[in-house]
Each structure stands twice: as structure tokens, then as C-alpha cells.
Amino acid sequence: MIYLDNSATTPVLQEAADCAMEVMTQDYFNPSSLYAQASKLEKRIKTAREFFAKSLRSRPEEIVFTSGATESNNIAIFGTLNALRASKYRFITTKIEHPAVYEPFWALEQRGHEVIYLSVDENGKIDLAELASLIDEHTALVSIMQVNNEVGTIQDISSIGKTIKQKNPQCLFHSDGVQGFGKCDFDAAVVDLYSISGHKFHAPKGVGLLMMRNSAKNMGGQMGGGQERNLRSGTLNAPGILAMAVAAEKMAESDKKNMLTCKKTLYQDLCKISDVYLNGPDIEEGAPQILNLSFMGLRGEVLLHALEARGVLVSTGSACASHKKGDNRVLNTFGYNADRIEGAIRFSFGRQNKPEEMHQVAEIIEEEVKKLRRFKRR
Ligand code: PLP
């Protein structure tokens, strides 16, 4: 099997799995308990917290461990909303956010707030001047993802952050960093809130964090035992948190290079097939781990299953549930026609992928595309 769906989830690194296993079976204490064993575990969590704080240019107390990025995004948005006083605010986001941001904003609209969804250009980038023109004194929060999960567009987070604060220093800036953390360099100092998810970088599922600056007013998520400074109650997922820190520590520059080489190798081979289009940014401009291509005249889902039968796992990139022709919110925003949207496949790479395998994948794809197109023309 060749797994090329690493933006959906990644295999857990052996060292991270070993760490989780050790904590689950040996150091299984509740870190909030009062005896020495629990305090020792609490100290290990403190070290992990310090590590993430340092990598996100923040303070340890600004790291809130969560169950993943869906929860982090929900706390960033609803927690901010719940800390506001007036009945109507302006919120700004983009048309290409992951549902974990898009849906909460939709809910805010239903509650009578004004939500503006920014369009993007042909590369998936927002227009900074447009953003600046929309921020007023009633704008409470801007949420713009660092890297788009379907096509790999990298937003200029530093410029966005500066633009927001120039227009309204009180306005908070949240970025969903799920696909960007460890993959793209950025200046974390410009964000007030930043979400990450462990299972996207070879840690287990069900663990993530929200970096939330002390200056950002936020009521937090669930209530209960008061863990995480009362911002996210619930017994800490110690095995997950410590495994996530191990996986993050193991991230290396060489992983990014490896993913980019896989992406370029596969693209160079696949663009020799007729009627194949690159969706989103140019190869070098986009995130190293995401390649989105349309195979015209085919349904992405049909190609996906043909590849599955040959041991290659990919995604259509579509997070929508309806599966109607051309019904993909993100690709629609790019203005692509229905055939292009329908024929889209997302390849996403991880540290375990090998560039040499990409020629083999490309050969399989070429054969399957030829077969399916022949079949379709009959
Ligand atoms: N945001 C983005 C950009 C994602 O790609 C994902 C997962 O696909 C999420 C949020 C949700 O993350 P989690 O699975 O940790 O809830």
C-alpha cells in the first residue's frame, strides 16, 4: 500500500506510540491528583507545554490542550464570542476554511452577527487590501487558515496579522494552523489564537492544542473541573499530549524537503497525462505536502476507488456530504467548472513517503486514467 492521504491523518511515529503506551500502562495517573506519581506526570506535561509555547512564540500558560483542531477552532470562535458584551459584531473569515471554522461562523450568522467570507484569487490567497477595508471598530475576530487543506495555499500570516492590528488593535486574529504547523515557516508572534492537531503530524488522533494569548479575551470551551486554567475542563489526555510533543520534536527540515520532492516528482510524471490540471497554487508556492490535480473527464471518486484497488490511497479532497456534481465549496471558490471539480484528487504526503515510490504511483494512475477514460468514451 502507498498511503497518500496524509492531510486526512498520518501514521503515528513509533517513538510517539511508545511514549503513549508507556504513559497509558505505567504512568497512567491523573495529572491533577496530589501524590508524587501524578506530580511527576504533571511535570512532564509542563515540559511539553513549554516546548509548544516556545515553538509558537508564546508563554506556557497560553497553551490550552484540546481534543484536536475542531475543538480548538470552536473554542477560538465561540470562546471569543462568549467574552464579548455587545449584541452584534463583525467577524471575518474566508470562503475556503475547513468546516471546523466555516460551520461555527455560520452559527454566528444565525445568531445575528455579521460574518464576511473573503474570496480568494486563482492561487487561493486572500486580498490584503480587501481585508483592511473590511476591518472596523466592530470587528471582533478574523480567522484565516494558514494552509488550505484541499489545495495547499499558504496565506501570508505575518502580513495578515499586521494588517489586522493596524486597522484595529483590539480585533483578534485566529489562524487554523492544522496543515501549516511544522510544514511552513511563519511568525507566530502575529497570531492571538492558533489551532493545531496532533494526528496531522504523526501523533495520535484526539489531541491538539489552541495557543491563546493572555491578552485575548476568551471564555473557553467546556466547563467542569477547571483544568487548563478553566478554559478547557476535562482530565488531561496525558498519553496524547506527551506523544504529540514527541512527534513535534521529531519534525525536521528534511521532512519538508522529502514531502516537496515527492510532490514535485509525482506532479512531473502526472502532468504528462493529457487533460490534467493543477488546482490551487503553483507547485513551489503551495505547501510541501499537498498536491491537488483534476483528471478531466473522470469522477474523482471513481479514480480514487480504482487506485484503492491498486493499493494507492488518496482523497477527493471534498469535505462535503452531498456528493453532487461540482459541489465542493473550496474548489467552487476558485471558479473552476463542474468537470474540473468533479475530477479533482488530492495527494498528500507524509514523512514516511519515498520519492522513488512516486514513479510507481504515477504509472498506476496513468494506467487507470487511460482505462477509465476509454470506458467513459464508449
Ligand atoms: N482544520 C483543518 C485545516 C483540517 O485539515 C482539519 C482536519 O482535516 C481540521 C481543522 C480538524 O482537525 P481535527 O481532526 O483535529 O479535529
Side-chain angles (χ1 to χ4, degrees), residues 4 24 90 137 141 156 254 262 265 274 298 305 312 318 344:
L4 297 180
M24 285 189 289
R90 173 177 284 187
E137 71 273 25
L141 175 71
D156 181 355
S254 55
C262 287
T265 311
S274 62
L298 293 182
H305 289 303
V312 177
S318 165

Side-chain angles (χ1 to χ4, degrees), residues 135-189:
I135 297 169
D136 62 10
E137 71 273 25
H138 304 295
T139 311
L141 175 71
V142 174
S143 180
I144 294 175
M145 71 198 318
Q146 186 185 6
V147 169
N148 177 266
N149 52 300
E150 294 203 34
V151 297
T153 300
I154 307 170
Q155 300 292 345
D156 181 355
I157 294 299
S158 301
S159 303
I160 293 172
K162 283 176 199 145
T163 303
I164 294 168
K165 298 297 173 184
Q166 268 162 15
K167 289 292 300 220
N168 177 357
Q170 307 303 320
C171 176
L172 297 178
F173 178 28
H174 168 247
S175 185
D176 176 344
V178 169
Q179 303 289 347
F181 180 69
K183 314 276 186 349
C184 305
D185 299 328
F186 83 115
D187 179 9

Side-chain angles (χ1 to χ4, degrees), residues 237-296:
N237 174 4
I241 292 166
L242 296 178
M244 179 166 73
V246 169
E249 278 165 21
K250 296 271 172 204
M251 288 191 305
E253 273 306 304
S254 55
D255 296 338
K256 288 191 224 168
K257 280 205 189 112
N258 179 57
M259 290 187 281
L260 185 61
T261 311
C262 287
K263 173 175 164 172
K264 281 181 175 170
T265 311
L266 187 60
Y267 178 66
Q268 274 154 13
D269 282 4
L270 291 181
C271 64
K272 290 180 195 141
I273 306 175
S274 62
D275 292 327
V276 172
Y277 292 100
L278 173 67
N279 298 323
D282 288 345
I283 294 297
E284 297 274 0
E285 296 291 305
Q289 81 276 26
I290 299 177
L291 172 66
N292 193 310
L293 298 176
S294 282
F295 297 84
M296 303 303 277

